[in-house]
Structure formats: C-alpha cells, structure tokens
Amino acid sequence: MDKFSFLNTAHTSFFAEMYDQYLESPDSLEPSWKAFFQGFDFGLESANITVEEKTFAVPENIKKEFQVINLIDAYRKRGHLFTVTNPVRERRKYLPTLDIENFGLENSDLELVFSAGEIVGIGADKLKNIIDHLRRIYCDSIGIEYMYIRDPNRVKWIQNQINVNGNHPNFSKEEKLQILESLNKAHTFENFLQKKYVGQKRFSLEGGESLIPAIDFLINSAAEKGVEEFIMGMSHRGRLNTLANIFGKSSKDIFGEFEGKDYEEDIFDGDVKYHLGWTSERTTPSGKKINMNLAPNPSHLESVDPIVQGIARAKLENDFDNQTNKVLPIIVHGDAAIAGQGVVYELVQMSRLKGYSTGGTIHLIVNNQVGFTTNYLDARSSTYCSDVGKVTLSPVLHVNSDDVEAVIHAVTFALEYRNEFNRDVFIDLLGYRKYGHNEGDEPRFTQPKLYKYISEHPNPRDIYASKLIDQGLIQKQHISKIESEYFSELEEELTDSKKKDKTKITPFMQGVWEGYHRVDEKKMLEDFD
C-alpha cells in the first residue's frame, strides 16, 4: 500500500497553510508536523522520500502545491524588489527573479488549479490567477517588507490586510475628488511660489506633492479613530506647503516672509520661514476638533525627531493618562537624512523602551533619490533608505509617489497597524526633486540624465487628473477651474501681505506656555550691571 496515499485524499489547502506556518515559524507547529515538513524540504528536489530503505514518490499534485507555496513565500519575502515604485528611474535588477521556472513550475502549470490560492485569500484558483493576485499585492505601486517580523500574529494580520482588494484602495467618487482637491493645492502652491519668487530658497515639494493629501487623509482618519493630538516633525522639504495646506498657516504670512520683512519681535532675524514651528486647531469634515503641532526644525534635520517624541510623551503623561490612541506622532524624513544621520538609529532603538515609548510613530520619507547633489547609490550601503526601520522589526512600505491613491492606501495601512500594535511604521515615498536642493543650484551639473527625464515627466496632480478623466469622474476643464480658483486666492493673499510692514511670528504651542513670559535680555543685562 502507498504510504502517502493519504495525501491524495486530504484537503491540500490544509497542508498549504501548515507549510506556510512552518516556513514562518517552525517551532509553532506540533513536533510531528515540523518533522514532516523538514523531511519534505529535504526530499523536495528529488521528489522522493526514503523511509526504512524504501523509496516512495510524493504525488505530483502535492509536490506542485508546495512549489506554489514556495512561490507565494518568495513574493512575500522578495516581491518588494520587483515593484513599479520608482517614477523616474529603472529599478535595479535583483536575482533570483520570481519567474515560475525558479520554483520548479512550468508554463503548462499556469492553467492548473491550486488550493494554495486559499492562503492568499482568493481560494483554489488557476496558477496564472494566483500569480496575478500576488503581483497586484506585492509588485505594483506598493512594495511591502514584513516577513522578518518574528511575531506570527503581526505577520498574519499584515497578510490579511494586504489581501483585501489586492493591496489596492477602493475610494468613492467623493473621496477621489477630495484627494484631487488636496493634490491640486499642493501643486498650485509650489507653482505660485516658483513664479513669484524665482530662485528664492523654498525647498519645493514638487515631485512629492502626494505627501499633502496623504497627511490630510491620515489626520482626518486618525481623528475619527479617537486621536486628539498630532505632533509632527519634518525637515525643510515641503514644510511651507505643509504649513499652508495642512496646518492652516496664512499664505499672507508666508509671503511676508518671502518679501524679507522684519519680524515683529527683534529676537527673530534672517531666513527662518522653513524652520518655524506652528500650532493650530483643526476641525475635521465630520466636526471633530483636533490640536496639531509642527515642531520647530533646526538645520541638522533629524534632530527634531526626539523633540517630537518628547512632546508626544509629555502629552500622553500629562493630558491623556498614557492612552496612546489619543496622541499620534508623525515624522517626515528626507531619504538622505534618515539613512545618514545617527540620531535616527538612536531614536528608533529607544522607541520600544518603557521610559520612552509613545505608542508607535508613523514615519513618512520624502524620497528624492538624491541627497543635495549625491546619487543614492553613492550615499548609503543599505538597499533602502528606510532600512533603519528593521531595527524594531517595523513594516516598511515603498510607494510610488506618483500614485496618490496608493500613497493614501499606505498611510491608511500604517494607521491601522499602529493602532493595532502600538508600533512604528515606515512609508518610503519614492518621488523626485524637480529643482535643485534649494532652487538656487543647478542639479543638471551633477545629475544630467536624471534631470533630463524629470523635466519631461508630468507632475502627480496631472497624472491623477488624467486618471479621473479616464474614469469619467471629471471633465478636463475641472482641473483648470480648481487651479485658477486657488491661484486667485493666493494672489489676493500676496496683495494683502504687501500692505503689512512687519511679519508676525505665531508662538509654537502657545497654549502650553500661557502665563510664562520670555526673559527681557536687555533688562536682565542692565540689572546685572
């Protein structure tokens, strides 16, 4: 009698799930099953198992089921290396590929039905459909790294999340129009500054404008889930856009800073507009009131990170009885800074300690793929700028910044994960920097090929608008209408700003410091004399 005949009558998806669990965490299986799969791996290449000097052939359909499971496991571990996440460069080539031949499968197997499809949420299906589903999850505009996480519960939770809709969003028409509105404001604001203040430093967000609708969506969604305080830190890139379109700072005040007017207080001097902090209260579309703080930022970019955590920790302890679902820290990094500055590692490795934890931080990386003038290949040893996130076994999502819906889908995932496990999440937004480091330098001197392509590349707003036009949700004139309306608003703000003699500084976290007074340095020196 064939000792392996039981394999023909058993439900192969059960073995698939068990083997998948074995690959992730062998010790979590009952010992006899662990030994079975160890023996299976040992004999897989020859497709024979020897027991008591007798050789038994593993049924071909069972062998192929396990080969499909190996293929699924490879997509989960390495799919992020084969994505379409880079809007302006060819991806580097990685070997081995995910071609089915590397897993002992052939083109003739594509039409066969495999129960292994059940472990990716689509049920028993043809191999070609399973592969299409895997590519949609792991190799489209979002690449995700998570298989190094040692907690099977977190791994399973992630897999369940990304299996829904094939790791793609499903937004309503109203949500899509709101995304377009936010993206248009981000684009038009930068375009306005470029026309009015040519050559002035502003650290443009052009090439990464999807950051604005992403933060907007993140804040509104988090508020619906009970978050009342947002503590945010970010470097220069996109800061003015964030202040205007997320935190509600008056464009009039921003333009006044560009005009070089003196500040009302003598202690402020120089070009500090992209260093300043801001505090505001915002009402979400559903009517929830939230408090938002953007921490002041020094030139040593990532040194703001522990400030954000310190403020969040203080608010948790002083105001919210350590309810981490009430306070959300968000840090926006640059790709060269997060990979190169040591304070990031120090921050991350302390983030789980009892005395420092803030319940998880959402890290957003504005990845320009160039640091000042340096190509990323010459700037770091790691594959990704976000690899520091693996220190705490945090999931990392790499997203094509041109695909704004994918970006928002990624931040939605990050929020859900953070709320579920109180842990950090890293989102690597791959975009580009349209101009030089600070608009005053010429990037074509050091990156001529890249910037030739960038100069011909459509902006994220126009890419998304074309998508909505193709879907029949808007007409072409809708874009020119909302752009001209916002541009006119900015023109009015600019006109008003020129009527003011001085620029006012709004104190950061002014409510917290109520009742405190700044020392009069001049008077103090007079008293000392």
Side-chain angles (χ1 to χ4, degrees):
M1 179 180 176
D2 182 0
K3 290 189 176 183
F4 292 95
S5 61
F6 71 96
L7 293 174
N8 289 314
T9 58
H11 201 304
T12 54
S13 67
F14 172 70
F15 295 116
E17 289 183 11
M18 294 280 281
Y19 187 59
D20 193 48
Q21 184 179 347
Y22 164 76
L23 292 172
E24 291 175 14
S25 180
D27 293 333
S28 67
L29 286 178
E30 193 272 329
S32 62
W33 277 111
K34 177 181 176 182
F36 172 81
F37 288 124
Q38 285 174 334
F40 178 81
D41 279 349
F42 181 76
L44 188 59
E45 288 191 9
S46 63
N48 294 312
I49 297 176
T50 300
V51 180
E52 298 177 355
E53 299 182 354
K54 294 182 180 180
T55 300
F56 302 92
V58 176
E60 187 66 19
N61 66 316
I62 300 298
K63 175 188 171 187
K64 285 189 179 292
E65 286 283 359
F66 282 110
Q67 288 167 334
V68 174
I69 294 170
N70 285 336
L71 175 65
I72 291 170
D73 190 59
Y75 269 91
R76 288 170 168 175
K77 290 179 177 176
R78 292 169 47 79
H80 59 88
L81 298 173
F82 305 97
T83 57
V84 286
T85 49
N86 199 322
V88 291
R89 296 183 196 254
E90 287 275 334
R91 282 220 61 164
R92 285 179 282 179
K93 305 301 180 186
Y94 294 94
L95 295 173
T97 67
L98 298 174
D99 294 340
I100 60 174
E101 291 79 10
N102 292 328
F103 302 89
L105 297 163
E106 303 172 352
N107 286 335
S108 58
D109 297 320
L110 293 172
E111 294 295 329
L112 298 180
V113 173
F114 290 92
S115 297
E118 293 184 12
I119 65 176
V120 291
I122 62 173
D125 207 337
K126 292 181 179 180
L127 178 58
K128 66 178 183 180
N129 295 333
I130 294 172
I131 292 173
D132 286 344
H133 186 66
L134 290 170
R135 285 174 178 165
R136 184 170 164 81
I137 292 175
Y138 293 104
C139 301
D140 202 352
S141 291
I142 301 176
I144 179 168
E145 297 181 271
Y146 69 96
M147 288 296 284
Y148 45 76
I149 295 174
R150 299 180 189 128
D151 180 353
N153 291 328
R154 286 197 282 146
V155 171
K156 192 65 177 176
W157 185 93
I158 291 170
Q159 289 171 350
N160 289 338
Q161 286 290 112
I162 61 180
N163 282 343
V164 177
N165 296 330
N167 200 23
H168 281 64
N170 185 21
F171 295 120
S172 66
K173 177 181 178 180
E174 291 72 23
E175 288 173 324
K176 291 181 178 183
L177 293 178
Q178 181 56 47
I179 293 168
L180 178 62
E181 179 75 21
S182 181
L183 192 57
N184 175 69
K185 286 186 174 181
H187 168 76
T188 306
F189 182 82
E190 297 292 353
N191 194 29
F192 186 88
L193 292 180
Q194 174 66 11
K195 290 181 177 179
K196 302 298 181 180
Y197 301 105
V198 178
Q200 283 205 42
K201 290 191 292 185
R202 58 189 168 94
F203 299 97
S204 162
L205 189 58
E206 285 166 278
E209 294 99 320
S210 57
L211 176 71
I212 299 301
I215 295 175
D216 191 48
F217 202 92
L218 173 60
I219 289 174
N220 288 335
S221 299
E224 293 302 315
K225 295 180 181 298
V227 175
E228 297 179 22
E229 292 267 359
F230 294 86
I231 318 299
M232 188 169 164
M234 68 184 300
S235 54
H236 300 345
R237 180 85 41 212
R239 190 180 186 86
L240 297 179
N241 208 316
T242 303
L243 282 166
N245 290 311
I246 299 295
F247 284 82
K249 181 175 180 178
S250 167
S251 300
K252 179 167 54 180
D253 291 338
I254 295 174
F255 298 149
E257 292 163 358
F258 271 102
E259 297 290 333
K261 296 175 182 179
D262 291 334
Y263 292 97
E264 290 182 349
E265 297 182 68
D266 293 337
I267 62 169
F268 288 97
D269 193 18
D271 189 13
V272 299
K273 55 182 169 288
Y274 32 73
H275 294 274
L276 297 173
W278 192 262
T279 296
S280 62
E281 188 179 79
R282 169 171 163 167
T283 303
T284 69
S286 67
K288 295 185 182 295
K289 292 189 181 298
I290 52 176
N291 192 52
M292 305 194 306
N293 295 284
L294 179 63
N297 178 66
S299 284
H300 191 73
L301 306 177
E302 298 292 340
S303 61
V304 74
D305 301 356
I307 305 299
V308 169
Q309 301 296 345
I311 294 171
R313 178 73 183 215
K315 285 182 175 291
L316 281 170
E317 292 189 358
N318 296 337
D319 303 330
F320 295 101
D321 193 29
N322 289 308
Q323 299 178 71
T324 55
N325 64 320
K326 297 294 184 181
V327 179
L328 178 61
I330 304 169
I331 301 178
V332 181
H333 308 267
D335 55 316
I338 192 174
Q341 294 189 1
V343 67
V344 181
Y345 176 82
E346 296 173 38
L347 178 88
V348 168
Q349 70 88 16
M350 294 174 71
S351 65
R352 298 289 300 159
L353 300 182
K354 183 178 179 181
Y356 298 91
S357 174
T358 57
T361 299
I362 295 179
H363 300 264
L364 301 169
I365 305 168
V366 179
N367 189 342
N368 303 309
Q369 308 186 61
V370 58
F372 194 15
T373 61
T374 307
N375 188 302
Y376 71 95
L377 292 174
D378 299 318
R380 64 174 186 266
S381 299
S382 59
T383 301
Y384 297 113
C385 64
S386 56
D387 280 349
V388 69
K390 296 171 185 174
V391 170
T392 48
L393 304 180
S394 301
V396 180
L397 291 87
H398 308 279
V399 193
N400 189 325
S401 197
D402 272 358
D403 188 341
V404 64
E405 288 191 10
V407 172
I408 293 175
H409 186 65
V411 299
T412 303
F413 168 93
L415 178 63
E416 296 287 348
Y417 183 88
R418 189 263 182 185
N419 286 347
E420 182 72 19
F421 298 107
N422 286 331
R423 289 176 174 269
D424 288 9
V425 187
F426 289 74
I427 301 177
D428 175 21
L429 302 175
L430 278 99
Y432 54 92
R433 189 187 69 194
K434 185 173 181 180
Y435 302 105
H437 176 66
N438 59 18
E439 291 77 42
D441 56 299
E442 177 49 74
R444 287 174 178 81
F445 291 152
T446 55
Q447 307 285 337
K449 291 183 179 179
L450 175 62
Y451 273 87
K452 181 180 185 300
Y453 186 85
I454 287 174
S455 67
E456 300 167 353
H457 189 69
N459 65 71
R461 195 277 312 267
D462 289 348
I463 291 172
Y464 190 54
S466 295
K467 179 179 178 179
L468 297 190
I469 291 170
D470 291 342
Q471 293 176 359
L473 297 181
I474 61 171
Q475 300 295 320
K476 191 172 183 179
Q477 57 266 30
H478 179 79
I479 305 304
S480 55
K481 178 178 180 290
I482 61 175
E483 181 175 25
S484 62
E485 286 176 351
Y486 188 52
F487 201 92
S488 297
E489 282 182 39
L490 296 175
E491 283 279 15
E492 290 179 14
E493 293 279 284
L494 177 60
T495 301
D496 289 344
S497 74
K498 293 182 177 180
K499 298 174 184 177
K500 298 177 66 175
D501 295 327
K502 291 192 174 184
T503 299
K504 181 182 179 181
I505 296 291
T506 300
F508 171 65
M509 294 178 65
Q510 59 268 39
V512 176
W513 298 106
E514 191 173 345
Y516 291 85
H517 301 284
R518 188 181 292 120
V519 171
D520 187 331
E521 185 179 350
K522 188 179 295 185
K523 186 176 184 304
M524 183 181 70
L525 290 174
E526 289 174 355
D527 293 344
F528 183 77
D529 290 339

